[in-house]
Amino acid sequence: MPYAEITGWGKCVPPAVLRNEDLATFIDTSDEWITTRTGIKERRVLHCNLSDMARVASLHALAAADLDPMEIDLILLGSLTSDSQCPNTASIVADQLGARNAAAIDINSACTGFLYGLHLGTNLIKTGAHQKILVIGGEFITHYMNWSQREVAVLFGDACGAVVIEASESETGMIASRIGCESDAKYAIQITNVGSGYSRLTDDFLYNAWNFEGQEVFKRAVKAMAQASADVLDQAGMSLEDVKLVVPHQANKRILDALAKRIGISEDKVFVNVHKYGNTSAGTIPVALAEALEEDRIKPGDHILMASFGAGLTYGAGLIKWSNRVSPLITCDAELPPCEKTGLEIIASHVDRYKKHSLESVS
Ligand SMILES: CC(C)(COP(=O)(O)OP(=O)(O)OC[C@H]1O[C@@H](n2cnc3c(N)ncnc32)[C@H](O)[C@@H]1OP(=O)(O)O)[C@@H](O)C(=O)NCCC(=O)NCCS
């Protein structure tokens, strides 16, 4: 049975920055509160569509693997913030890339979308059903944000990453993985007022409100990611000493510290970029992976542990054995269309819309 080697990787982060201080201009919050509770200093705001970010990240990943889009036979796109319900975003990305031989599937498991995709893609390659798969994870979460809810608005940002996995005889890629879901607690993170579960006849329809049990999710995230990590190490017959780097979901620096403590690994072995981007949901792991490679944090043959947690409440972990190559075969200069606006300017009309709606609801 072949392995699924990661042969390409890429990221796309939008240029417009939204700093903690910018949020404090219209929400009752402060840089001090956000930094001490989450470690986040700033996040990015997208000025186009999720598919545009996915296209750019994918072009980088395809170049790194030196593959033509026509060689890809499946695209798995993890996201909860699709361009549209129909067509699915994976199809839009396939068309933009010219990946005419690829099947295209969206995976909505929220923050775990990329890890779920890598688990599924790896196993499809192992069975021989597919040979070359593009796995994408990304989010345009600012589009779905309720900017009057300070307890969530400060946590999230937009970004996207992608990897190419290819059938290989050498023992590399995701060598052990486990995914799961604590569905009994599904409403601990909930985005309301969009979808067929909500009546179109109410004034609230399409005004998203987030139900968000932050402390409950925090506790469950640490526990589930630690357990899934232990399970994949067991599966692979390895221990934490074999792991060179942990590339976890980036939701909150305090969650990362608690995870490191619970699994018993030193904090310097945990890759962290949550301070720059906030929680980009399905985008966090592939973006962190691409940055870990850019920063020479991954060496040939290293074992990398990934762990994730998100709405659903979905969770998972994967153990990756990196191949012999840690640099792209070809570099690529694809980028998003230029953006003249600041993060604050992009969201301004959206913020006003929510302000107006909450005033109307009160009166
Ligand atoms: C959300 C989270 C940062 C909150 O941190 P916390 O330490 O649990 O904070 P609390 O919820 O106890 O809130 C403490 C106080 O800060 C206030 N507060 C909440 N958001 C605030 C903000 N943006 N600015 C200032 N104050 C805020 C609360 O109203 C509360 O005030 P009170 O004590 O007067 O009631 C943290 O629980 C978390 O990261 N949870 C998991 C994140 C998550 O779910 N990610 C998505 C899935 S991975």
Side-chain angles (χ1 to χ4, degrees):
M1 199 182 274
Y3 293 93
E5 179 176 344
I6 299 177
T7 56
W9 53 90
K11 67 168 187 183
C12 177
V13 292
V17 174
L18 185 68
R19 298 167 308 136
N20 291 348
E21 293 82 355
D22 297 327
L23 287 167
T25 62
F26 66 92
I27 293 176
D28 181 15
T29 191
S30 65
D31 173 50
E32 199 265 332
W33 191 94
I34 303 170
T35 306
T36 52
R37 300 290 175 131
T38 72
I40 300 166
K41 297 300 285 184
E42 58 187 41
R43 71 286 295 140
R44 301 297 174 100
V45 179
L46 184 61
H47 61 293
C48 37
N49 283 327
L50 172 68
S51 57
D52 297 310
M53 281 199 298
R55 180 185 61 85
V56 171
S58 300
L59 286 172
H60 285 275
L62 288 163
D66 191 15
L67 278 191
D68 186 284
M70 291 290 276
E71 294 179 77
I72 295 293
D73 55 24
L74 176 63
I75 297 177
L76 296 171
L77 184 145
S79 185
L80 70 98
T81 53
S82 41
D83 281 23
S84 61
Q85 283 291 304
C86 182
N88 68 354
T89 310
S91 302
I92 298 172
V93 178
D95 184 44
Q96 288 180 352
L97 293 172
R100 304 271 169 256
N101 297 314
I105 304 174
D106 281 9
I107 300 171
N108 178 356
S109 61
C111 300
T112 58
F114 175 78
L115 195 77
Y116 265 45
L118 195 56
H119 168 87
L120 294 171
T122 297
N123 285 296
L124 286 170
I125 284 180
K126 284 186 173 175
T127 64
H130 288 271
Q131 313 301 318
K132 294 179 198 303
I133 303 179
L134 190 56
V135 183
I136 306 168
E139 222 72 73
F140 183 8
I141 205 124
T142 58
H143 188 75
Y144 290 79
M145 189 44 66
N146 181 325
W147 295 104
S148 59
Q149 284 187 270
R150 66 176 183 173
E151 67 282 14
V152 280
V154 303
L155 301 178
F156 292 93
D158 304 327
C160 186
V163 298
V164 170
I165 51 175
E166 294 185 60
S168 162
E169 287 309 318
S170 60
E171 194 195 7
T172 59
M174 195 176 235
I175 55 170
S177 60
R178 163 159 158 62
I179 58 173
C181 180
E182 296 180 0
S183 57
D184 57 313
K186 59 193 171 299
Y187 294 129
I189 305 174
Q190 185 187 16
I191 303 178
T192 66
N193 299 332
V194 61
S196 55
Y198 298 94
S199 167
R200 285 175 297 219
L201 303 177
T202 68
D203 290 341
D204 287 336
F205 192 62
L206 296 183
Y207 285 92
N208 303 143
W210 290 55
N211 292 333
F212 196 76
E213 295 169 27
Q215 290 187 4
E216 178 67 13
V217 176
F218 190 118
K219 281 183 266 176
R220 284 178 179 261
V222 175
K223 219 167 139 192
M225 285 195 288
Q227 186 58 54
S229 299
D231 291 348
V232 297
L233 285 169
D234 264 6
Q235 251 182 56
M238 296 193 147
S239 72
L240 267 181
E241 283 75 59
D242 301 309
V243 172
K244 287 285 159 28
L245 189 68
V246 184
V247 181
H249 173 49
Q250 312 276 319
N252 181 330
K253 176 69 167 61
R254 284 164 54 218
I255 293 182
L256 300 183
D257 294 345
L259 176 67
K261 198 167 164 202
R262 191 169 179 116
I263 64 177
I265 200 161
S266 64
E267 284 178 22
D268 61 333
K269 281 192 168 181
V270 179
F271 189 84
V272 179
N273 64 5
V274 69
H275 53 291
K276 295 194 286 184
Y277 307 126
N279 181 350
T280 63
S281 181
T284 64
I285 290 185
V287 170
L289 183 67
E291 295 199 340
L293 284 152
E294 282 164 16
E295 295 170 21
D296 289 331
R297 298 280 303 271
I298 297 176
K299 305 283 179 227
D302 276 359
H303 285 100
I304 316 291
L305 181 65
M306 293 173 173
S308 191
F309 194 86
L313 297 172
T314 57
Y315 64 86
L319 186 67
I320 312 286
K321 182 169 184 224
W322 204 260
S323 68
N324 289 330
R325 183 166 59 79
V326 289
S327 50
L329 287 173
I330 299 178
T331 50
C332 151
D333 57 8
E335 52 184 41
L336 292 174
C339 172
E340 307 298 329
K341 291 185 174 172
T342 64
L344 208 46
E345 284 166 351
I346 294 173
I347 63 168
S349 57
H350 206 18
V351 171
D352 284 349
R353 181 174 170 265
Y354 272 96
K355 236 186 234 162
K356 212 168 144 222
H357 180 68
S358 54
L359 286 176
E360 280 165 4
S361 308
V362 173
S363 63

